[in-house]
């Protein structure tokens, strides 16, 4: 039944794009390469900052806007590294074994919260504090839940 909740899964995927749990990935350069005019020697530690990738306006329309519909438009398929919340697919790299599990667990949690609870969000500062890992709203996330029925 969860696999039929396409819109809800798009919300989960957009949450992973918007605020990645792991903000960067790292590894060793297998070969020398040029990056923006700089020569990176083989063996150097290299970092891929997912936050920069996930906010690239050449990939995502209005990247600082939470927009689950971007996955219906296929923005995440503009190139092989456009959406890599938990690693890249082979042959480009490593894909986390927990990617599908984490997605379906998040979808299950979202479904239960929306279906079984009434929500109240009091006034609060929801702007992200990007200095925290993972980033979180300035006031945290203040919410009160009341089980329905």
């Amino acid at each position: 039944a969860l696999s039929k909740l396409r819109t809800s899964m798009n919300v989960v995927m957009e949450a992973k794009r918007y605020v990645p749990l792991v903000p960067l990935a790292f590894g060793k350069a297998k070969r020398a390469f040029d990056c923006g005019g700089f020569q990176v020697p083989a063996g150097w530690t290299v970092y891929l900052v997912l936050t920069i990738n996930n906010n690239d306006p050449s990939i995502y329309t209005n990247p600082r806007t939470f927009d689950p519909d971007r996955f219906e438009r296929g923005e995440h398929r503009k190139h092989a590294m456009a959406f890599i919340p938990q690693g890249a697919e082979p042959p480009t790299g490593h894909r986390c074994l927990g990617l599908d599990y984490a997605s379906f667990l998040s979808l299950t949690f979202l479904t239960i919260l929306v279906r079984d609870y009434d929500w109240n969000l009091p006034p609060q500062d929801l702007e992200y504090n990007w200095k925290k890992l993972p980033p979180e709203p300035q006031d945290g996330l203040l919410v009160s839940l009341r089980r329905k029925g």
Side-chain angles (χ1 to χ4, degrees):
L2 289 174
S3 65
K4 295 178 183 176
L5 300 175
R6 222 165 88 185
T7 300
S8 296
M9 183 56 89
N10 289 346
V11 169
V12 169
M13 290 177 12
E14 178 66 348
K16 288 181 174 189
R17 182 202 69 85
Y18 197 74
V19 184
L21 288 176
V22 178
L24 60 91
F26 62 92
K28 296 264 185 217
K30 289 184 178 182
R31 58 178 168 71
F33 64 94
D34 182 76
C35 182
F38 295 96
Q39 189 63 26
V40 177
W44 268 26
T45 300
V46 292
Y47 297 91
L48 172 62
V49 181
L50 298 179
T51 305
I52 293 172
N53 197 53
N54 293 347
N55 288 288
D56 185 342
S58 71
I59 299 170
Y60 296 107
T61 305
N62 300 317
R64 298 303 305 141
T65 300
F66 189 88
D67 179 10
D69 291 337
R70 70 178 74 251
F71 291 92
E72 291 298 315
R73 296 189 299 269
E75 293 180 18
H76 63 298
R77 291 190 201 101
K78 287 189 177 175
H79 66 72
M81 302 293 278
F83 182 66
I84 52 170
Q86 289 168 271
E89 295 280 343
T92 20
H94 165 77
R95 181 177 188 253
C96 176
L97 293 174
L99 176 62
D100 293 333
Y101 175 74
S103 297
F104 278 105
L105 186 64
S106 298
L107 182 58
T108 302
F109 183 71
L110 174 65
T111 301
I112 290 169
L113 285 178
V114 170
R115 182 190 64 200
D116 295 347
Y117 291 87
D118 288 320
W119 293 60
N120 179 34
L121 294 172
Q124 57 192 294
D125 185 354
L126 294 173
E127 290 296 317
Y128 278 104
N129 178 351
W130 294 100
K131 293 179 182 176
K132 291 190 174 188
L133 294 176
E136 61 183 50
Q138 295 291 344
D139 291 340
L141 180 58
L142 307 174
V143 61
S144 63
L145 299 172
R146 180 175 297 133
R147 190 167 181 89
K148 292 180 180 178

